[in-house]
Amino acid sequence: MFNPFKRLPKDPSKLFYKPFRCLSDKSIIRIYLQETGNPDVAGIFGFDSVVRLNSTYLELVDRYYNWRGVGTLAGIVFFCLSFGLFIESLAMLALVEKTSVGIWLVAILIWGITLPLSFGLYRMMTSEVFLNTYYPIRFNRKNGMVYVYQSGGTVLSVPWRELRFVLYSTKMPFSTQWTIVGCTTEEDGDTVAKAIPLPIDLNWDPEDLTMYWEFIRCYMEEGDEYLQDLADTVPWCPPVEKKKEGWLFGFLYLSKQLFGRLGLLVNALQIPIFFVISFPRWLVMKTCKIPVWPKEIEDACQPDKNDPVNKGAEHNPPQIWRPMLGLQGKERYARAFAKERKAMDRITARLREKYGEHK
């Protein structure tokens, strides 16, 4: 039976809209291969989505983490408008001494629009609060498994090599959005059974997503000599592992710039909007519980005691707002960027040597 009050958690592995039903769909731009690297990739980049990177597993935030709080804010605002109009129509009938047929028709029309709309907005308004702070994805390179934390505490476990990762496009009003989605397929190898969207989507150059794909692929497929360099390409990690992010970090994460001071200059007008969104985001984080992996998953992902590779939020720079907003001084930026760039160059050099044309 349909329950209009049933909440729909904003869990991307369950709610991600799938306009493509098969891998041969025209919206699929590219199918990535796990076994083959890209020798021409411009760089390696984690796009600020890495929660933990060690020699055993790589954990990422979920597809909707970047804009956590937006749905809550939009739901509250439009629910109040819609339901307020419904209440106003009731008040109109109560206050008017003589109600004509026309007034009743207008009222019925308002009810027919605002009541279903209010139920839908109620679901949007409650899709983030009192649930999970995020829905992590873990890539275990030692046992070749991908673990996806889902609403209700369930875990989707899929062998890495059985996933087909595709570059998928969505037409937006003023741009095209690109996302990488991991798909499980039915027996025919083409029909999509489940879709696991990776955390990052872009609306400028889809080739930039190749840098993100190679970051994950190198972690899962290449040798141990890649691990420290991959960790060195990560400037900072979201502090969401076994804790809740604070209001300031949420505001900074919404406002973060991928293009340094130029990005901040271009997007300066959006800062007040991010400031407003940061409060419902903080409310969401405060009301939600921290995801806890089942014991069998934790056991499978247990890192070595003396693991030389370990990157997490505890290694974030002391003034994290500087790199997030692109406000580092020249010397500090040069030191940080030099470390990241050298790590990227070592990785891309290995990829060219291994997968270049002469091979």
Side-chain angles (χ1 to χ4, degrees), residues 41-327:
V41 66
I44 302 294
F45 198 32
F47 282 94
D48 309 326
S49 67
V50 177
V51 175
R52 174 71 57 184
L53 189 157
N54 55 43
S55 298
T56 301
Y57 69 87
L58 166 69
E59 182 169 309
L60 308 176
V61 295
D62 65 84
R63 172 68 172 76
Y64 298 133
Y65 173 76
N66 188 53
W67 294 107
R68 189 76 83 242
V70 173
T72 301
L73 176 61
I76 291 173
V77 171
F78 290 108
F79 175 83
C80 290
L81 292 174
S82 178
F83 198 68
L85 186 58
F86 170 75
I87 297 299
E88 187 177 347
S89 67
L90 292 178
M92 176 185 68
L93 290 175
L95 295 175
V96 174
E97 293 183 0
K98 294 183 179 180
T99 54
S100 64
V101 175
I103 293 176
W104 273 103
L105 288 176
V106 170
I108 292 171
L109 178 63
I110 292 174
W111 298 344
I113 295 174
T114 57
L115 275 179
L117 183 60
S118 294
F119 281 123
L121 291 169
Y122 163 80
R123 289 190 166 195
M124 177 188 293
M125 183 173 61
T126 59
S127 65
E128 297 178 316
V129 293
F130 298 104
L131 292 164
N132 292 99
T133 54
Y134 73 116
Y135 300 90
I137 305 173
R138 273 192 184 181
F139 295 85
N140 188 314
R141 71 190 307 270
K142 289 192 174 180
N143 65 7
M145 294 293 294
V146 179
Y147 303 109
V148 183
Y149 192 94
Q150 299 181 307
S151 54
T154 60
V155 175
L156 174 63
S157 302
V158 186
W160 159 257
R161 287 292 183 91
E162 291 185 11
L163 283 168
R164 303 296 301 278
F165 289 90
V166 302
L167 178 64
Y168 146 71
S169 64
T170 304
K171 296 295 183 181
M172 307 295 284
F174 302 105
S175 63
T176 300
Q177 188 178 70
W178 290 276
T179 306
I180 297 178
V181 182
C183 303
T184 62
T185 59
E186 303 289 357
E187 293 183 359
D188 60 6
D190 187 48
T191 305
V192 175
K194 294 183 182 296
I196 305 169
L198 296 186
I200 304 305
D201 65 284
L202 299 177
N203 57 7
W204 56 84
D205 187 352
E207 287 303 313
D208 286 347
L209 276 174
T210 302
M211 297 192 292
Y212 190 57
W213 162 249
E214 280 297 320
F215 177 86
I216 297 172
R217 193 205 66 81
C218 285
Y219 179 82
M220 291 296 289
E221 291 286 334
E222 303 300 337
D224 292 347
E225 68 274 13
Y226 282 74
L227 295 180
Q228 188 58 60
D229 285 334
L230 287 171
D232 287 343
T233 66
V234 179
W236 51 267
C237 300
V240 293
E241 185 182 40
K242 300 179 181 179
K243 62 186 296 186
K244 298 180 180 182
E245 70 170 38
W247 170 81
L248 180 59
F249 182 86
F251 172 56
L252 292 173
Y253 198 87
L254 290 166
S255 310
K256 64 186 172 65
Q257 307 299 326
L258 296 176
F259 303 107
R261 297 181 182 182
L262 177 61
L264 183 62
L265 180 64
V266 172
N267 298 315
L269 295 178
Q270 301 181 65
I271 298 297
I273 299 174
F274 297 149
F275 181 75
V276 173
I277 297 173
S278 68
F279 290 100
R281 181 185 180 96
W282 174 79
L283 174 66
V284 168
M285 294 300 179
K286 279 294 183 182
T287 62
C288 285
K289 59 185 179 181
I290 300 167
V292 178
W293 292 97
K295 185 178 184 303
E296 59 272 20
I297 305 298
E298 287 287 15
D299 291 342
C301 297
Q302 190 65 34
D304 295 336
K305 186 176 181 180
N306 297 316
D307 191 346
V309 180
N310 186 29
K311 184 76 174 184
E314 69 273 17
H315 303 113
N316 285 346
Q319 294 179 311
I320 193 172
W321 59 272
R322 288 183 177 274
M324 292 182 76
L325 298 181
L327 294 177

Side-chain angles (χ1 to χ4, degrees), residues 24-56:
S24 56
D25 191 277
K26 63 180 181 180
S27 64
I28 302 298
I29 308 301
R30 179 183 306 166
I31 298 179
Y32 295 99
L33 299 176
Q34 281 98 319
E35 302 91 340
T36 305
N38 185 343
D40 300 318
V41 66
I44 302 294
F45 198 32
F47 282 94
D48 309 326
S49 67
V50 177
V51 175
R52 174 71 57 184
L53 189 157
N54 55 43
S55 298
T56 301

